[in-house]
Amino acid sequence: MRKPERYRHLISYFTEHFPEPETELAYRTPYELLIAVVLSAQCTDKRVNLVTPALFEAYPSAEVLATASSEDIFPFIKSISYPNNKAKHLAGLGKMLVERFNSEVPSTIEELQQLPGVGRKTANVISSVIFNMPAMAVDTHVFRVSKRMGLVSATAKTPLEVERELLQYIPEDLVPKAHHWLILHGRYICLARTPQCERCPLTHFCAYYQKNWPNKPDDPQNKLG
């Protein structure tokens, strides 16, 4: 199956079954989402959502966060992965938001990446979710699913290369949604160690499935027409 056809099936399925996907991080403002995404690096959204309510109560804005030290922040996030580094990032992030960006979360990838703890993936998430820009954040789930399904070529070895290939085939207006489609599919079905192919609705066009079970009849429920 050619790559454009795989994308056609992918978009057709998710547009019908998950037309309005959303992030699983709990937030109310762009500031809160930024903090949550920084904390979510190499950590589950579920764990982040457990600690952010108290953190946001203590530091409800960039102005308040800017007054905090990493030692002040650490107790709130100590159950998160890499809490020492992330506490330092958040302390610096609050100060930079106030001093450089007038306490507002910037909208461009370039500006976002100036913030402590914000790499390209985090910047893409904020740009996509908050500003509805055609930015594709490639985390471990997106990277794995894209490679397994044959959405990107075997030569795409880095998150940036995967990002660029995905953007070639996904219409701009659907990129923010496709980001969530791929993440959630990787989180709940296309698992890292044991992909749940027996309950996956995408096997009809999945390169991984076709390679490993070439002679297995397609489940009629998996046909995507």
Side-chain angles (χ1 to χ4, degrees):
M1 181 179 294
R2 295 177 62 83
K3 198 179 295 183
E5 190 176 359
R6 294 188 199 280
Y7 279 92
R8 181 174 65 82
H9 285 312
L10 178 87
I11 292 169
S12 175
Y13 175 80
F14 281 113
T15 299
E16 177 180 353
H17 295 280
F18 298 99
E20 298 299 331
E22 297 180 344
T23 178
E24 294 186 318
L25 290 169
Y27 74 99
R28 295 167 296 184
T29 65
Y31 160 78
E32 288 188 352
L33 181 62
L34 175 60
I35 301 303
V37 178
V38 170
L39 292 175
S40 71
Q42 296 180 285
C43 188
T44 65
D45 288 0
K46 183 178 180 180
R47 169 56 56 185
V48 172
N49 289 340
L50 289 175
V51 306
T52 49
L55 179 67
F56 294 153
E57 183 177 359
Y59 305 105
S61 67
E63 292 90 345
V64 180
L65 185 63
T67 67
S69 67
S70 59
E71 291 76 16
D72 295 328
I73 297 168
F74 178 84
F76 293 95
I77 66 170
K78 62 184 179 181
S79 64
I80 295 283
S81 60
Y82 306 104
N84 287 300
N85 285 339
K86 290 178 181 178
K88 293 176 183 176
H89 290 327
L90 294 188
L93 183 151
K95 291 178 175 63
M96 186 175 289
L97 283 176
V98 171
E99 295 170 2
R100 189 173 299 179
F101 298 108
N102 197 31
S103 302
E104 299 290 334
V105 175
S107 61
T108 71
I109 301 297
E110 293 73 23
E111 289 177 321
L112 283 162
Q113 288 187 98
Q114 295 175 29
L115 296 167
V118 177
R120 186 173 181 85
K121 186 206 77 173
T122 296
N124 279 338
V125 171
I126 300 303
S127 181
S128 171
V129 175
I130 298 299
F131 301 103
N132 201 39
M133 300 296 289
M136 175 59 69
V138 178
D139 67 354
T140 56
H141 298 303
V142 174
F143 189 90
R144 178 176 68 253
V145 171
S146 300
K147 297 283 283 187
R148 272 188 184 159
M149 292 182 65
L151 297 175
V152 299
S153 62
T155 58
K157 301 293 186 182
T158 68
L160 182 57
E161 289 172 344
V162 168
E163 174 189 332
R164 287 171 174 167
E165 285 205 35
L166 290 172
L167 292 176
Q168 288 179 26
Y169 291 92
I170 299 173
E172 278 195 4
D173 62 316
L174 292 179
V175 170
K177 293 182 179 182
H179 158 68
H180 294 303
W181 290 337
L182 295 171
I183 285 179
L184 296 175
H185 189 67
R187 186 172 290 166
Y188 296 109
I189 296 181
C190 195
L191 309 181
R193 295 185 179 179
T194 54
Q196 307 295 298
C197 296
E198 70 280 0
R199 63 187 187 90
C200 177
L202 311 181
T203 55
H204 177 58
F205 65 93
C206 175
Y208 175 87
Y209 185 84
Q210 299 299 330
K211 177 181 178 180
N212 287 278
W213 295 279
N215 299 317
K216 188 172 182 178
D218 286 319
D219 185 334
Q221 293 182 349
N222 289 349
K223 294 286 187 180
L224 302 183

